[in-house]
Every structure is written in C-alpha cells, then in structure tokens.
Amino acid sequence: MPERLVIFDTTLRDGEQSPGCSMHVEEKLKMARQLDRLGVDVIEAGFPIASRGDFEAVQLIAREVRRPIIAGLARAKKEDVECLAKALAPAARSRIHIVLATSDLHLEHKLKISRAQAMDQSISAVRLAKSLCDDVEFSPEDATRSDPDFLCRMLEAVIEAGATTVNIPDTVGYTLPQEFSALIKRIRDEVRGIEKATISVHCHDDLGLAVANSLAGIEAGARQVECTMNGIGERAGNAALEELVMAMHVRSDRLRFTTGVQTDEIFASSTLLSEIVRCWPQPNKAIVGRNAFAHEAGIHQHGMMTNPLCYEIMTPESVGVAGTKLVLGKHSGRHALSRRLEELGHPLHGPELDRLYGQFTELADRKKSIYDQDLLSLVAQTDSKRLMDIATA
Ligand code: KIV
Ligand code: ZN
C-alpha cells in the first residue's frame, strides 16, 4: 500500500523570497486559494514578523482558507513566535515553523552564538510555540553543512520540547543525493524520539539537485516534502512541486507514495503564479514550461502521431495542459506539415506536398518559427503557380 506524503507548499514564503517575486496581500490570498484547489496539505503563508503586509497576508489566509494547515515562519525568538501565533489565530488548523541555524558557519559568522546558546534558544522557542499551538515544526537551517552529531542532538532536544515535524533544509543546495539520503537515514537511526515526529526535507536548487535530493530524502524516510510552484525561491529556487508530484505519479512503480495533489490543477497553479509575480518559467522547464509538451523534430512528430507514448511519459491533460503541440520548424517532417495543412483546410498530397515541403524547409532555415500565416502564404504561392500552369497550358 503506497504511503501518503505531506506536501508542504512554501511558494508564499520561500518562493516569495525569490528576487522580484514579492506579492501583495490580495495576490497571496488568490494564490493560497489555488493551492487549496491543487490539494497541498500545508501552505506556508509568510513570515509575519518581517512586515505588516506579511502579517496581514498570513492572518487573511488563515481566516479564509480552511482545508489545508496554514503555517508561518518564525525565528527562534519570543517576539517572532508570538507575532506568528497571533497571525495564525483565525486558522482552522495552524502550524508554527521555527528556524535556527545549526552549522558552525552560520552560528559563528551570522548569529554569533555558541552551539549551547543555539540549543537553549531553540528549546525555549519550541516550548513557547507548543504552548500556543499543537503543531510545531523546527528547521535547523543549513543542516547539510552542520556537524551531524550536533544536528542529531538538536533534533532530539526540539522533539523533547514538543516539535512534531523536524525539517532538514539543504539551505544552500550543496548536498548530493547519496549524501542527503545518508543524512536522513542517520537521523532516523540515531535521533532519540524521532518516531514522535515527521521528518521533512527542504531542498534548494543551487546545483540543480533540489528535486533529486528531495526524492532521495523521501526514499530514506522523510514523509513531508517542502516545495514551491514553478520551483521559485531564494537564489536558484526550491524543489519544484510539479516535478516532485509528477515524478511520483509517473514512476509510481519505484516511488510508492501518494499525495493529495490534483495533478490536473498543476498548470492553472503555475500560470496563476506566473501572472502574479510576472515571471514565467523557462520554456524548457519540466512539466510547466511552454515546450514541455511541444515536439519539433520530424521523427518525434511522426512518433507522436503514431502513438504519443513514443515521446510523452505523461499526458498534457494529466497536468491540466490542453494538448500536445507539434511545432513546425526546420526539424519537422512531411507528416507534421501535411497534418497542419489539412487542419488549415488545405490538404496537399504527392508532388504538391513535396514542392511545398521543399519551400517550407527553405523558409525554416531562415526563420526560427513557422506560423500558420507562413504556411498559408506558401499555399497561396502554390495555388497561383497552379493557375499560371493551367493558363499557359
Ligand atoms: O532554506 C532554508 O533553510 C529555509 C528554512 C527557513 C527552512 O528556508
Ligand atoms: Zn529555504
């Protein structure tokens, strides 16, 4: 029986930290409603101590979006935790998410505190959070560059203090899949009391490994994954929700997990986010890029026309995309051209099709994209040549 994985969406918190992607309160609410339709389990709505706008956004989402758990972020500080608890107060179900770094690099240079101080601060913050909310998550920031022994002791301490989820962030996207999987396994094996908490993973994409690392973490025992729509987030972004979910769908033979995500809402969620932040995924972005279901090469187009399984491992409809696109360009073949001409109401066969195909490839060598208008003018040229031939015959 496949196990159920918790999808923790942080588009509205970590995603919003992506340069140029900040959102107004109303925009955040609109996106949160779409994430609810998408079926995520947890929505991290913001970081309320950071600004009045974020406080209002978390509060509004907590009031209006009733099915998912609404989470917010707080540093391990009294004022942060209290501010977050206040913003989350209207929620049907809420979660306080506390972060404090555990790597010596961050402790010495950023926070300027000792390991012992970090431990005390985390325990106090989790205890306070627990007195305000049953559901408490703790993230040891920069976990993958932390001393694993200290990391494990920290996790034991925060679980003892009441944390119900322990999230392992690869904050700077530094880890490799095998290392990350070994770390999650070590946490499972070594941390006393780990059975009382859910292990979560939170991977950044600085080396393009966020999704691979997340999947490695899940295979090693994590049961919550943190991700964002379109993979937006700090620097190179976070693990992309659409890639994680579709990997689990397409490769359910190996990845035996289910999620609550309605996959046919993926494209609508991606598009809404792009419209709000005015930043579109690159064309070749997996699942949601505009070329994700487009085929140009002749052999691919022919294969697609014969049986889409030749070149598509999922249907566009399964992620809410209207259909496959056969793009006409210099790599396209006669089959695709003939089909498009037929769709445009100009079926051509035999020598006429051959002649037009020749003109089409010449044009495609000069032009990057061939539009219907280009084809129609080639057809018009063929028609006038045919009339001339008849007249001079
Ligand atoms: O990347 C990170 O470490 C974070 C934490 C707040 C989980 O975003
Ligand atoms: Zn992050």
Side-chain angles (χ1 to χ4, degrees):
M1 183 71 179
E3 273 190 72
R4 177 75 155 74
L5 206 67
V6 175
I7 300 289
F8 178 113
D9 181 280
T10 182
T11 306
L12 302 178
R13 198 279 300 166
D14 214 331
E16 203 200 11
Q17 289 172 218
S18 185
C21 287
S22 71
M23 297 173 232
H24 301 307
V25 175
E26 286 303 324
E27 292 171 333
K28 278 193 151 191
L29 178 61
K30 203 168 169 194
M31 192 63 212
R33 290 195 201 281
Q34 177 59 35
L35 291 171
D36 183 11
R37 276 193 289 279
L38 180 65
V40 305
D41 301 291
V42 186
I43 294 177
E44 188 167 45
F47 186 16
I49 195 90
S51 73
R52 180 200 283 268
D54 234 26
F55 181 92
E56 282 172 17
V58 174
Q59 195 174 45
L60 187 64
I61 292 168
R63 188 177 310 130
E64 298 291 324
V65 183
R66 310 301 290 174
R67 182 198 53 82
I69 295 172
I70 307 301
L73 186 67
R75 290 166 300 179
K77 292 179 172 202
K78 186 170 183 285
E79 60 273 27
D80 279 38
V81 174
E82 285 174 348
C83 172
L84 173 56
K86 212 162 141 196
L88 290 173
R93 293 191 298 156
S94 59
R95 175 179 300 180
I96 291 183
H97 179 191
I98 294 170
V99 60
L100 192 115
T102 44
S103 70
D104 291 331
L105 188 65
H106 280 232
L107 293 179
E108 278 168 33
H109 296 273
K110 186 182 77 174
L111 300 173
K112 302 193 190 319
I113 56 173
S114 65
R115 286 185 180 186
Q117 284 169 311
M119 184 78 89
D120 288 347
Q121 224 175 293
S122 302
I123 294 170
S124 307
V126 170
R127 281 201 186 127
L128 172 63
K130 195 72 180 178
S131 71
L132 301 167
C133 179
D134 257 357
D135 188 343
V136 177
E137 173 168 331
F138 179 82
S139 288
E141 190 188 7
D142 207 19
T144 50
R145 294 191 300 170
S146 302
D147 167 13
D149 279 331
F150 177 58
L151 177 66
C152 288
R153 300 300 78 78
M154 177 66 99
L155 297 179
E156 282 168 4
V158 293
I159 292 170
E160 171 90 46
T164 39
T165 301
V166 286
N167 179 43
I168 311 304
D170 183 28
T171 303
V172 289
Y174 172 77
T175 203
L176 300 175
Q178 300 88 328
E179 282 174 324
F180 197 52
S181 140
L183 179 64
I184 300 300
K185 192 171 173 321
R186 181 162 175 183
I187 289 168
R188 265 183 70 189
D189 292 345
E190 266 188 34
V191 171
R192 260 169 294 137
I194 195 67
E195 66 291 344
K196 289 187 249 158
T198 302
I199 303 176
S200 167
V201 288
H202 175 115
C203 298
H204 280 269
D205 209 30
D206 300 67
L207 293 174
L209 292 171
V211 170
N213 285 334
S214 304
L215 292 175
I218 292 164
E219 284 200 284
R223 289 297 171 264
Q224 171 177 287
V225 61
E226 303 200 352
C227 47
T228 60
M229 225 32 250
N230 296 350
I232 66 166
E234 279 280 358
R235 305 177 312 281
N238 289 61
L241 179 148
E242 62 277 13
E243 295 177 23
L244 284 165
V245 168
M246 291 316 290
M248 282 183 266
H249 268 256
V250 172
R251 295 310 309 274
S252 57
D253 57 322
R254 288 292 304 269
L255 303 167
R256 301 189 165 275
F257 302 100
T258 59
T259 71
V261 170
Q262 302 298 313
T263 63
D264 56 1
E265 286 289 334
I266 284 179
F267 192 63
S269 311
S270 163
T271 308
L272 177 65
L273 176 66
S274 302
E275 283 167 358
I276 290 175
V277 298
R278 295 184 190 84
C279 174
W280 296 82
Q282 81 265 17
N284 61 333
K285 165 82 181 62
I287 322 290
V288 293
R290 81 176 130 80
N291 290 347
F293 296 97
H295 307 265
E296 186 185 302
I299 32 173
H300 288 216
Q301 291 182 335
H302 187 213
M304 283 297 297
M305 285 188 258
T306 321
N307 181 347
L309 286 177
C310 291
Y311 289 105
E312 276 182 355
I313 57 170
M314 67 197 110
T315 64
E317 292 78 12
S318 67
V319 295
V321 171
T324 295
K325 264 190 288 180
L326 297 185
V327 180
L328 291 176
K330 73 171 181 184
H331 304 107
S332 305
R334 231 169 281 251
H335 287 103
L337 177 67
S338 153
R339 177 188 274 200
R340 190 75 199 120
L341 288 170
E342 218 168 300
E343 286 164 0
L344 291 170
H346 295 278
L348 292 187
H349 308 280
E352 275 188 339
L353 177 63
D354 291 344
R355 194 171 327 116
L356 198 118
Y357 182 66
Q359 292 166 340
F360 160 78
T361 51
E362 262 176 44
L363 184 65
D365 260 338
R366 283 182 275 122
K367 237 173 148 258
K368 281 195 194 304
S369 313
I370 302 288
Y371 300 104
D372 289 349
Q373 212 48 47
D374 297 313
L375 294 183
L376 291 172
S377 61
L378 290 180
V379 170
Q381 285 167 25
T382 307
D383 283 348
S384 51
K385 182 164 185 322
R386 192 191 302 137
L387 288 176
M388 295 262 289
D389 289 349
I390 293 169
T392 53

